[in-house]
């Protein structure tokens, strides 16, 4: 082993922080013994104190003690290797450092540091090397008396403040380092003096006068020094600078907090505020997060840095500051954040690179152009000293910038910039996720608005209220739907239905099914026929599309097993006709408040096949309320929807009074479903109305061409009673054509009815099952122009089939009449 290697081994072997200190008087007698010395040589303090140092060494080294003590007095110290002897007689190779303990007047004492070097190479160590280990090491060492006043310290302790060793003698820690929080340190010393228990690895964090804004960290260890009677004489302590390690821990802790607190929601503004909150006040005194306007809307941004021609329109998404710190620079959240052309924020945004200024030019003007009141201030006036600007970039896209200012803390360094970039990069991913979610949610909401009725049509048949609560709260979409469709003869169709599944695919499948229902409703078919056609449509679509596409992803496949309830209400007669396909029957709230459930035959779900659909008819008193709902409103029992427990829950909820139908609808959903239901919920409540007897009139007519004139006169008289004389000419034409066609082409009784609602409705009933056809006759044809004329002078017309025949009807708007 070479000399350098031996020196390195010895240096590693000797740790002054773990050395065993003891005090000698001028004669070389031990006056103070420590626990470390006892562990090293096995002598208790009662046996060691009062012995000569030579008695603790082997005979070969014991004879050297007088010479060593003399050299120490002359040269100011000695260092080297000695062979000590344990209490059991076993030799122990130790490294020794002997130095005067006091330089002031008084009895001369010597400090001896012993460190075990058992097993080390057999070579001597120079005094210079021990000086490097003790005086020049990064570890500070000191001894204080019972009053906590310095008795001795090494040169290394001066690096921690307080001056050279000779300037410390007789002073306390608070005296040599004003501004240093000495109380916790001295409290540990007093504890060691009182109990004799050593304190190892105590961390002290504070500030010093030379760097009042910089946090420093020291690790200290304390050991009591006892005399021959075991009484405390003072404290021996070591101190190591842990500032860099402390700052590294702080950075890691800040990164951990950022990971925990940033991105806890998919709201862009909230995510930006979480970024600002997590770094103030620990990392910066003031932080502002400015995002490009398209980001806040969830819009796409071109990848890469922004070019000079790109608009750099920013909005303040978040800010945070230490209380009382530069409030005049804060742009309101949501307001435009405008910066001067060529300023660092604009350059960082356009280049996508960070910028650091350790010390801002005190005379430079701030960069913002829209400060309150147009006030311009220098950075000195604002109290800002150091700045970092970090662009928010995620997936190759620049989303905005984050600006960090320091006012009281140490200026930002390169490590701070790396830390800020790490935090901002994490936040940028969260902001971009929120942006993408905002875009997808906006698209979903647009889809929802197109699939569900934005506003139910105005009509006089029922008063309606609806409530929809999807299970997928992120998109707000589901497979349930409700609808109200106006039919001929002042009637309405009430529809609720559901498609299996949740989310956007279920919503798309629901949209297809709802469109099909509205198309079939326009044919004015009875409820059971509407469901039969719908069932056939679903089964055929699944078969046709299932062959060529992924069955699980096809919208048509998702409609398989869907449920639907179709109800037609006639306000003239108060009759209600309904049929269901795999769907719960509605509840009826009578005008007196009693609750009943319609005994409705259950047809099979759509597309699965089974027995034919059946409808039931009932007459509702005016003011009755129908409650149509999907099965998500109630827990589906093992025996289907007609489980008594489910109906009891619904009955109790419906019995609760409410000042309005809309409030009753919302309250019912809140009472029966959680805020985040496992299944989509749709509820449609309709309170029935009846048309006044003065709003309609009917005449039975014989199948005689001569009765056409009587029909026109009767219609004309009725219009006069309704004060609709301006519609007399058109109405006479419509009545004449429809009655004439019924007499010519139909059989059985003929009935004419006029209804005044939001439109003037003319209906002619006959017993034939054939539908009329609109033709475009040639100029030479003698007939065939009747329905063509009716279609041109009325708002709409059509045919409705009944079991006993058909009705041909035509409507004229009453909302477009001249005032």
């Amino acid at each position: 082993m070479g000399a350098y290697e031996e020196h390195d081994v010895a240096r590693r072997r000797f740790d002054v922080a773990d050395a065993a200190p003891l005090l000698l008087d001028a004669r070389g007698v031990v006056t103070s013994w420590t626990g470390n010395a006892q562990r090293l040589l096995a002598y208790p303090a009662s046996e060691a104190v009062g012995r000569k140092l030579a008695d603790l060494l082997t005979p070969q080294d014991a004879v050297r003690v007088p010479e060593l003590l003399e050299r120490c007095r002359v040269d100011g110290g000695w260092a080297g290797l000695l062979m000590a002897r344990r209490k059991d007689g076993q030799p122990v190779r130790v490294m020794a450092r002997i130095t005067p303990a006091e330089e002031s007047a008084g009895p001369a004492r010597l400090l001896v540091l012993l460190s075990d070097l058992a097993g080390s190479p057999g070579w001597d160590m120079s005094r210079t090397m021990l000086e490097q280990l003790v005086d020049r090491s990064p570890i500070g060492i000191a001894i204080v008396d019972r009053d906590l006043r310095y008795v001795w310290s090494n040169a290394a302790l001066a690096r921690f403040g307080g001056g050279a060793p000779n300037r410390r003698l007789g002073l306390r820690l608070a005296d040599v380092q004003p501004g240093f929080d000495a109380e916790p340190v001295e409290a540990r010393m007093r504890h060691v003096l009182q109990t004799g228990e050593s304190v190892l690895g105590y961390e002290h964090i504070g500030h010093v006068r030379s760097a009042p804004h910089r946090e420093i960290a020291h690790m200290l260890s304390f050991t009591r020094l006892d005399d021959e009677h075991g009484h405390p004489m003072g404290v021996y302590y070591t101190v190591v600078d842990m500032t860099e390690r402390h700052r590294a821990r702080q950075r890691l802790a800040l990164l951990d907090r950022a990971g925990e607190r940033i991105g806890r929601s998919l709201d862009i503004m909230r995510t930006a505020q979480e970024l600002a909150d997590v770094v103030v006040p620990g990392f910066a005194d003031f932080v502002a997060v400015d995002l490009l306007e398209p980001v806040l809307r969830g819009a796409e941004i071109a990848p890469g840095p922004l070019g000079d021609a790109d608009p750099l329109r920013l909005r303040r998404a978040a800010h945070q500051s230490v209380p009382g710190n530069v409030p005049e620079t804060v742009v309101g959240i949501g307001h435009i954040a405008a910066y001067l052309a060529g300023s660092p924020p604009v350059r960082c945004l356009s280049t996508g690179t960070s910028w650091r200024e350790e010390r801002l030019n005190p005379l430079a003007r701030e960069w913002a152009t829209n400060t309150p009141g147009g006030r311009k201030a220098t950075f000195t006036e604002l109290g800002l000293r150091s700045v970092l600007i970090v662009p928010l970039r995620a997936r190759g896209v620049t989303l905005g910038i984050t600006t960090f200012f320091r006012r009281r803390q140490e200026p930002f360094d390169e490590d701070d910039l790396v830390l800020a970039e790490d935090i901002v990069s994490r936040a940028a991913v969260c902001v971009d996720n929120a942006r993408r979610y905002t875009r997808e949610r906006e698209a979903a909401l647009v889809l929802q608005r197109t699939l569900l009725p934005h506003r139910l049509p105005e009509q006089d048949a029922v008063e309606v209220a609806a409530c929809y609560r999807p299970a997928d709260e992120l998109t707000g979409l589901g497979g349930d739907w409700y609808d109200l469709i106006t039919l001929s003869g002042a009637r309405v169709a009430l529809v609720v239905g559901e498609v299996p599944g949740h989310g956007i695919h279920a919503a798309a499948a629901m949209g297809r099914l709802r469109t099909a229902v509205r198309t079939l409703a326009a044919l004015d078919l009875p409820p059971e026929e509407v469901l039969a056609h719908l069932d056939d449509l679903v089964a055929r679509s699944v078969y046709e599309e299932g062959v060529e596409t992924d069955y699980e992803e096809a919208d048509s496949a998702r409609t398989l097993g869907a449920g639907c309830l179709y109800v037609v209400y006639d306000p003239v007669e108060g009759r209600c006709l309904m049929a269901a396909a795999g769907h719960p029957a509605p509840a009826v709230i009578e005008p007196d408040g009693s609750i009943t459930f319609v005994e409705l035959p259950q047809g099979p779900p759509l597309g699965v096949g089974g027995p034919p659909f059946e409808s039931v008819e009932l007459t509702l008193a005016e003011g009755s309320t129908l409650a149509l709902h999907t099965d998500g409103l109630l827990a589906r029992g093992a025996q289907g929807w007609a489980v008594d427990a489910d109906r009891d829950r619904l009955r109790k909820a419906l019995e609760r009074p409410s000042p309005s139908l809309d409030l009753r609808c919302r309250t019912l959903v809140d009472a029966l479903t959680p805020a985040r239901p496992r299944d989509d919920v749709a509820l449609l409540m309709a309170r029935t109305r009846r048309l006044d007897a003065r709003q309609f009139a009917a005449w039975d007519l014989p199948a005689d061409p001569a009765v056409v004139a009587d029909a026109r006169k009767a219609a004309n008289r009725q219009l006069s009673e309704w004060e609709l004389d301006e519609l007399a000419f058109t109405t006479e034409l419509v009545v004449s054509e429809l009655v004439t066609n019924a007499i010519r082409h139909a059989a059985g009784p003929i009935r004419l009815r006029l209804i005044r609602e939001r439109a003037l409705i003319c209906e002619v009933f006959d017993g034939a099952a054939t539908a009329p056809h609109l033709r475009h006759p040639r100029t030479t044809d003698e007939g065939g122009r009747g329905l063509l004329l009716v279609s041109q002078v009325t708002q709409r017309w059509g045919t409705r089939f009944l079991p006993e025949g058909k009705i041909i009807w035509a409507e004229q708007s009453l909302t477009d009449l001249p005032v």
Side-chain angles (χ1 to χ4, degrees):
M1 179 181 295
Y4 177 81
E5 293 175 329
E6 292 178 348
H7 174 280
D8 187 60
V9 169
R11 180 181 60 82
R12 291 197 305 269
R13 290 278 186 175
F14 187 78
D15 186 349
V16 294
D18 295 329
L22 57 147
L23 289 178
L24 307 178
D25 61 12
R27 297 173 300 158
V29 176
V30 176
T31 61
S32 178
W33 194 252
T34 65
N36 284 351
Q38 180 175 341
R39 284 188 291 274
L40 178 64
L41 300 180
Y43 288 98
S46 58
E47 297 182 16
V49 175
R51 284 176 175 264
K52 292 185 178 181
L53 176 62
D55 296 338
L56 303 176
L57 303 177
T58 59
Q60 294 86 345
D61 284 339
V63 297
R64 299 175 54 198
V65 170
E67 177 188 357
L68 298 180
L69 296 181
E70 182 63 26
R71 289 177 57 183
C72 182
R73 295 188 188 96
V74 175
D75 299 335
W78 176 87
L81 295 176
L82 294 174
M83 187 66 71
R85 185 173 57 189
R86 292 173 53 86
K87 182 180 179 181
D88 58 6
Q90 293 295 323
V92 179
R93 197 175 196 181
V94 297
M95 182 184 296
R97 170 80 164 95
I98 306 175
T99 184
E102 290 184 353
E103 297 184 11
S104 58
R109 287 190 292 176
L110 301 173
L111 171 67
V112 180
L113 295 177
L114 301 177
S115 183
D116 186 5
L117 283 182
S120 64
W123 48 271
D124 199 3
M125 181 167 286
S126 68
R127 177 173 181 269
T128 301
M129 184 172 293
L130 288 178
E131 286 178 351
Q132 292 176 355
L133 293 173
V134 178
D135 290 337
R136 301 180 187 178
S137 76
I139 301 175
I141 308 172
I143 296 177
V144 296
D145 60 17
R146 286 180 295 181
D147 295 327
L148 308 185
R149 298 183 180 277
Y150 282 100
V151 175
W152 174 88
S153 63
N154 69 340
L157 192 63
R159 300 193 187 100
F160 300 89
N166 60 340
R167 296 180 57 186
R168 294 175 179 269
L169 294 176
L171 301 177
R172 293 175 58 168
L173 181 59
D175 299 328
V176 299
Q177 288 186 271
F180 182 79
D181 186 14
E183 181 56 34
V185 177
E186 292 189 342
R188 296 315 187 275
M189 293 180 181
R190 283 189 286 270
H191 174 78
V192 172
L193 283 171
Q194 293 170 3
T195 65
E197 299 174 356
S198 297
V199 175
L200 305 176
Y202 165 70
E203 284 195 28
H204 178 272
I205 300 171
H207 301 80
V208 294
R209 179 177 293 180
S210 59
H213 302 303
R214 186 172 186 267
E215 200 170 56
I216 60 173
H218 295 149
M219 180 178 289
L220 301 98
S221 296
F222 306 92
T223 302
R224 191 174 76 176
L225 297 173
D226 297 333
D227 60 15
E228 65 273 17
H229 305 294
H231 298 149
M233 297 180 58
V235 174
Y236 160 82
Y237 78 87
T238 61
V239 56
V240 179
D241 188 354
M242 303 289 293
T243 302
E244 290 305 318
R245 187 183 301 179
H246 171 68
R247 294 187 67 186
R249 287 202 305 263
Q250 284 184 312
R251 293 188 179 100
L252 290 175
L254 181 57
L255 286 175
D256 288 341
R257 290 197 303 273
E260 293 174 358
R261 299 181 185 178
I262 300 176
R264 291 178 294 181
S265 72
L266 288 172
D267 181 88
I268 297 176
M269 301 289 281
R270 181 176 175 183
T271 302
Q273 189 62 51
E274 289 167 346
L275 166 60
D277 291 343
V278 80
V279 296
V280 175
F283 182 74
D285 295 323
F286 174 70
V287 174
V289 182
D290 301 323
L291 299 178
L292 292 169
E293 282 194 319
V295 174
L296 297 174
R297 298 195 305 269
E300 284 291 344
I301 301 175
L306 300 173
D308 296 335
D310 293 321
L312 304 180
R313 190 174 176 88
L314 294 165
R315 284 194 180 271
R316 178 62 48 84
H319 58 236
Q320 187 58 270
S321 63
V322 174
N325 191 14
V326 293
E328 61 270 29
T329 66
V330 177
V331 178
I333 292 179
H335 295 176
I336 295 293
Y339 295 100
L340 296 171
S343 62
V346 174
R347 290 201 305 270
C348 290
L349 187 64
S350 60
T351 63
T353 57
S354 302
W355 183 75
R356 176 178 70 92
E357 190 67 22
E358 186 173 347
R359 298 189 183 275
L360 285 165
N361 182 354
L363 300 180
R365 297 284 180 180
E366 59 177 324
W367 305 309
T369 63
N370 60 336
T371 51
R375 177 177 178 268
K376 299 296 182 182
T378 64
F379 287 114
T380 297
E381 293 172 329
L382 298 174
L384 304 176
R385 304 179 184 277
S386 185
V387 64
L388 294 176
I389 304 178
V390 181
L392 283 100
R393 288 181 54 79
R395 302 178 178 98
V397 174
T398 301
L399 307 174
I401 56 172
T402 303
T403 307
F404 304 83
F405 285 103
R406 279 183 178 174
R407 183 182 186 183
R408 300 184 181 90
Q409 303 182 48
E410 284 289 300
F412 289 112
D413 56 22
E414 282 295 332
D415 291 337
D416 293 325
L417 177 59
V418 172
L419 177 60
E421 288 178 334
D422 198 348
I423 295 174
V424 171
S425 66
R426 298 185 184 194
V429 173
C430 297
V431 169
D432 193 50
N433 289 339
R435 177 190 66 83
R436 290 166 177 253
Y437 165 72
T438 299
R439 181 190 62 195
E440 298 299 330
R441 178 169 174 78
E442 183 62 28
L445 292 176
V446 170
L447 178 60
Q448 181 191 41
R449 286 193 290 268
T450 59
L451 296 179
L452 289 177
H454 180 63
R455 184 182 63 180
L456 295 175
E458 296 181 358
Q459 37 71 45
D460 293 334
V462 290
E463 176 190 355
V464 291
C467 187
Y468 174 72
R469 181 170 293 173
D472 189 344
E473 66 171 354
L474 292 181
T475 63
L477 291 174
D480 291 12
W481 89 94
Y482 61 87
D483 211 344
L484 185 147
I485 307 168
T486 56
L487 303 175
S488 63
R491 300 168 308 130
V492 293
L494 304 170
V495 189
V496 291
E498 58 182 322
V499 169
H502 314 294
I504 194 167
H505 292 292
M510 176 269 288
R512 293 182 52 171
L513 204 56
R514 176 173 176 258
T515 301
V517 171
R518 295 184 69 88
T519 301
L520 292 170
L523 300 178
D524 243 332
L525 301 174
E528 69 275 14
E529 293 188 31
V530 170
L531 295 183
H533 285 289
L534 196 62
D535 177 74
D536 182 63
L537 176 65
V538 170
R540 188 167 62 250
S541 297
V542 171
Y543 173 76
E544 292 175 353
E545 295 189 14
V547 175
E548 300 177 357
T549 62
D550 184 355
Y551 180 82
E552 293 296 329
E553 294 298 326
D555 291 340
S556 60
R558 292 177 180 270
T559 60
L560 184 66
C564 183
L565 173 64
Y566 191 88
V567 180
V568 176
Y569 174 69
D570 186 348
V572 176
E573 301 176 359
R575 291 189 306 130
C576 189
L577 195 64
M578 64 182 69
H583 201 280
V588 179
I589 309 172
E590 303 290 347
D592 61 1
S594 59
I595 311 296
T596 60
F597 293 90
V598 179
E599 295 302 324
L600 181 62
Q602 278 297 319
L606 298 175
V608 301
F613 298 101
E614 299 181 45
S615 63
V616 296
E617 180 179 325
L618 61 154
T619 301
L620 298 176
E622 184 174 10
S624 301
T625 301
L626 282 167
L628 291 73
H629 62 88
T630 56
D631 66 320
L633 186 68
L634 299 170
R636 181 181 295 186
Q639 301 176 1
W641 296 286
V643 177
D644 292 339
D646 290 344
R647 286 194 167 180
D648 286 342
R649 289 178 59 219
L650 180 56
R651 185 191 306 275
K652 291 178 181 179
L654 289 172
E655 287 174 349
R656 299 171 187 171
S658 183
S660 68
L661 189 64
D662 185 67
L663 182 59
R664 189 172 201 170
C665 186
R666 295 198 304 270
T667 303
L668 186 64
V669 172
D670 291 338
L672 295 177
T673 61
R676 297 179 60 183
R678 293 190 299 174
D679 196 6
D680 305 322
V681 177
L683 173 65
L684 179 65
M685 301 189 74
R687 182 178 293 144
T688 62
R689 297 170 177 153
R690 295 286 285 270
L691 295 186
D692 191 273
R694 293 170 295 182
Q695 290 182 263
F696 57 89
W699 301 269
D700 291 322
L701 304 175
D704 184 356
V707 82
V708 175
D710 296 333
R712 288 198 301 266
K713 291 176 183 179
N716 212 358
R717 287 193 301 269
Q718 187 62 52
L719 292 181
S720 296
E721 291 183 15
W722 287 341
E723 298 181 350
L724 296 176
D725 297 298
E726 62 271 22
L727 297 180
F729 177 78
T730 305
T731 304
E732 287 182 10
L733 175 61
V734 172
V735 170
S736 178
E737 292 298 336
L738 295 185
V739 172
T740 299
N741 281 345
I743 293 173
R744 286 182 180 178
H745 305 291
I750 297 173
R751 183 179 175 86
L752 170 65
R753 185 169 71 166
L754 294 180
I755 302 173
R756 178 183 178 179
E757 192 217 20
R758 294 176 181 269
L760 178 62
I761 305 168
C762 178
E763 297 180 341
V764 174
F765 166 81
D766 63 63
T770 58
H773 297 283
L774 180 65
R775 295 191 302 159
H776 294 272
R778 294 169 296 183
T779 56
T780 57
D781 292 341
E782 296 182 358
R785 294 179 175 84
L787 287 181
L788 179 60
L789 290 174
V790 171
S791 67
Q792 291 177 342
V793 299
T794 60
Q795 188 176 22
R796 60 177 188 152
W797 73 280
T799 303
R800 169 166 93 249
F801 289 94
L802 303 174
E804 61 273 14
K806 69 175 183 299
I807 293 176
I808 302 176
W809 55 270
E811 290 185 3
Q812 300 176 72
S813 174
L814 297 182
T815 59
D816 299 332
L817 294 178
V819 181

